[in-house]
Amino acid sequence: FVLSGHEQEASKGFIAGELPQDLPDIGTEAEVFATLRPAGKIVIKERIFDAISTGEFIERGEVVRIVAKEGSNLIVSRRVYL
């Protein structure tokens, strides 16, 4: 089985990961599902998403907030308590 390299072009509607419009909104809180080192997984309402922290390691179970979106990845930081 050999691919010729044109099977999954973005211009034909193929993307890797979640569709941007299906991602949670910036500001949404989530729980870390797989430790962010800085990449990992977060869970929102029983749905798992790829995420990247703003640089720090964040352990499983901690609460984070979505601060940006880059393609199908969510950029998150620790929730700040005031």
Side-chain angles (χ1 to χ4, degrees):
F1 181 71
V2 178
L3 299 175
S4 66
H6 303 288
E7 292 82 8
Q8 296 184 352
E9 294 176 10
S11 63
K12 295 180 181 175
F14 293 97
I15 64 163
E18 300 281 337
L19 293 171
Q21 64 266 27
D22 292 340
L23 292 173
D25 294 327
I26 292 172
T28 302
E29 291 187 346
E31 183 178 334
V32 176
F33 182 75
T35 301
L36 300 172
R37 299 181 182 172
K41 305 278 185 185
I42 60 172
V43 63
I44 301 170
K45 297 181 182 175
E46 298 181 14
R47 208 167 149 206
I48 298 171
F49 297 93
D50 291 323
I52 302 172
S53 77
T54 53
E56 67 260 0
F57 283 24
I58 304 175
E59 296 295 326
R60 180 184 172 113
E62 289 192 55
V63 177
V64 294
R65 184 180 306 259
I66 298 170
V67 296
K69 299 178 190 181
E70 289 183 6
S72 62
N73 285 311
L74 299 169
I75 311 303
V76 300
S77 65
R78 278 191 176 91
R79 180 174 64 179
V80 177
Y81 294 96
L82 300 175

